[in-house]
Amino acid sequence: MNGLLPGVGAPEQHPRGEPGNALMLWLRSLAGRITLVTAAVAILAVLVTGSVAFPLIRSAAVTQAREQLSRQADAFSAAPVAAQALDLRERHLLGPDNYDLSSITAGGAVTGAAAQILSPDEVHPVLAGQKISRTLTKGGVQFLVEARPLTKGGGIVLTRSLADVNAASARLLQPTLLALAAGLLIAVLAGTLLARRLSGPLVRTVAAARRMAGGERTVHLEPAGVTEVRAVGEAINSLDHALLASESRQREFLLSISHEIRTPLTALRGYAEALQDGLIPPEDTAHVGQTLATETDRLDGFVRDLLALARLEADDFTLDVQRVDIPALLEQAQRAWQPAAAQAGVDLTLQIPAPDAGEPLMVITDAQRLRQIIDGLIGNALRVTPPGKPLVLHAGIEEPAPSPDVARTTNQQGIVAIQVRDNGPGLTADDAAIAFDRGALARRYSGQRPTGSGLGLSIAARLAQRMNLNLTVEPTDPAENGACFCIRLPRATNVQR
């Protein structure tokens, strides 16, 4: 169970006291991984936002600076007399380094800062009455240039360094960086809280699973979290209930088996001590020997049953599938059980269709395994049938249901039904519901009627399941006693007579 939900909770084999180990455990945990993924996504989002936002902010700042410079140039060209006063006012409001004002004479001479920036090619359009709005580079420095012609000749030029605009935009980037950092921090915190919320129920689930693995039962886990995590919690609760029920059945089974085994062991030990002490008269030696042999056979039967159960649960369980003649198989079973039936005073009767009543009752299955099921049912029936009463082996054909699916399954050849009917005390509806549960009938009727170890019917049912056969308890005639167990399997087709 320690392998359940890896990454949630700390594995027991790692020491907890060292910071490095604690960090590695946290990094391997679900909470740590969710936090790291959330942080990585947040960082990636911040980087993408910054890479897109910063150029946009800078481009917007340049555009705004150009528009402002263009409006100032238009205002200066419209009122050249008041240009000097307007220049002083703008510098007072925007600062002395905001822009530079230069002039162009009617002869094309440039005075002021623009003299080092404008070339004759930029001056001629202004003298011709055109506006200039450009970005020019001089000495590795870029400048925004806005030039306007004057009505009386010449013109004015406003220039502003692009580095000055970038510096202003950098001041706008700082609050943006702070906002992105705050968003990153909030995202990491939200991821951490989300990780704890998601991993918390899983950690509790792992703790409950480890308690169950340690042998504790009735470990109630309150399902919480998202749907998938709640489903895991509900599965753990179901597993706990299933383990509790399974272990209870195993405990009852072992107690029943130990009781059944203890009885012949007590008889064997008692007679062995009596023989050792010389308490058995010579004339009783044969009787004692017969009792010892009988009790030994009982023990041998228990061991065989337990080994049969173990083999049925093995993964390498194999079947030798072939055509099986059911009447011949039942005749063999009758001959094998006839001495035991005669000793018990039971009339073992075989009822099979006459050879000329139709095609032989052939099926495709494992003959040895099928015989094992029949032997188990006969042994169970012989134990409960009183002397003088019949025990019937019956084989016949049942017509398939009209359903097309069933007809295809049996290829319209019918179903072979093998019945073992006893004349014992019978089974109630409640008995029939648990007849194949391991040891259930033996525990219910212990001391009330003849019972065995409670393994025979369980072995027969498990074997039928592995062979894909249908083994059921059939209702009997209300006027008759006893129980009827029936094996059904499809009849083989295309059988040559």
Side-chain angles (χ1 to χ4, degrees), residues 103-158:
S103 61
I104 302 175
T105 64
V110 180
T111 59
Q116 305 296 326
I117 302 174
L118 295 179
S119 65
D121 293 335
E122 282 85 23
V123 173
H124 292 156
V126 176
L127 296 178
Q130 297 179 8
K131 296 181 179 180
I132 292 180
S133 180
R134 299 178 182 177
T135 301
L136 303 177
T137 303
K138 190 67 176 181
V141 180
Q142 290 184 314
F143 295 90
L144 299 177
V145 177
E146 295 289 335
R148 300 292 186 269
L150 298 176
T151 56
K152 294 182 179 182
I156 61 168
V157 181
L158 271 68

Side-chain angles (χ1 to χ4, degrees), residues 142-320:
Q142 290 184 314
F143 295 90
L144 299 177
V145 177
E146 295 289 335
R148 300 292 186 269
L150 298 176
T151 56
K152 294 182 179 182
I156 61 168
V157 181
L158 271 68
T159 59
R160 185 175 181 182
S161 172
L162 197 58
D164 177 57
V165 176
N166 292 335
S169 66
R171 289 191 293 271
L172 296 176
L173 294 179
Q174 292 178 359
T176 305
L177 288 174
L178 292 177
L180 292 176
L184 175 61
L185 179 61
I186 292 174
V188 172
L189 291 177
T192 303
L193 294 177
L194 176 63
R196 291 184 178 181
R197 184 175 180 83
L198 291 178
S199 63
L202 290 177
V203 172
R204 291 192 294 271
T205 301
V206 169
R210 286 176 175 166
R211 288 167 59 191
M212 292 168 55
E216 186 178 349
R217 295 295 175 260
T218 64
V219 180
H220 181 69
L221 179 66
E222 189 66 32
V226 297
T227 302
E228 291 79 2
V229 178
R230 290 178 63 88
V232 173
E234 293 170 356
I236 290 294
N237 286 334
S238 300
L239 178 61
D240 180 48
H241 297 156
L243 287 175
L244 182 61
S246 176
E247 291 176 355
S248 297
R249 290 194 299 267
Q250 291 179 8
R251 191 178 301 107
E252 293 175 0
F253 170 71
L254 291 176
L255 289 175
S256 175
I257 289 298
S258 63
H259 173 74
E260 296 290 342
I261 293 178
R262 190 181 297 114
T263 301
L265 283 178
T266 301
L268 290 173
R269 184 177 182 84
Y271 279 113
E273 291 178 350
L275 288 172
Q276 182 180 11
D277 296 338
L279 301 179
I280 305 299
E283 61 273 14
D284 294 337
T285 303
H287 174 70
V288 171
Q290 182 180 3
T291 302
L292 292 175
T294 301
E295 297 303 315
T296 302
D297 289 340
R298 288 183 61 190
L299 283 175
D300 183 59
F302 290 141
V303 173
R304 286 198 304 269
D305 287 345
L306 292 174
L307 291 177
L309 281 176
R311 285 193 293 269
L312 285 175
E313 300 300 330
D315 293 334
D316 57 351
F317 182 83
T318 58
L319 295 174
D320 182 14

Side-chain angles (χ1 to χ4, degrees), residues 39-58:
V41 172
I43 292 173
L44 180 61
V46 167
L47 292 177
V48 172
T49 302
S51 62
V52 174
F54 293 164
L56 291 178
I57 292 174
R58 181 161 296 179

Side-chain angles (χ1 to χ4, degrees), residues 389-468:
K389 297 294 184 178
L391 191 163
V392 180
L393 298 181
H394 174 82
I397 298 177
E398 295 180 351
E399 293 299 327
S403 169
D405 293 335
V406 175
R408 280 196 299 270
T409 301
T410 59
N411 202 14
Q412 298 184 353
Q413 295 296 317
I415 298 174
V416 177
I418 305 171
Q419 295 181 347
V420 178
R421 299 197 296 261
D422 61 62
N423 271 268
L427 299 174
T428 66
D430 292 338
D431 294 338
I434 62 169
F436 299 114
D437 292 347
R438 189 176 301 173
L441 292 179
R443 291 190 299 271
R444 175 172 293 185
Y445 291 107
S446 178
Q448 303 178 32
R449 65 170 65 170
T451 58
S453 64
L455 297 177
L457 293 179
S458 176
I459 293 174
R462 181 61 177 145
L463 187 55
Q465 181 183 4
R466 295 298 297 264
M467 296 174 63
N468 199 25

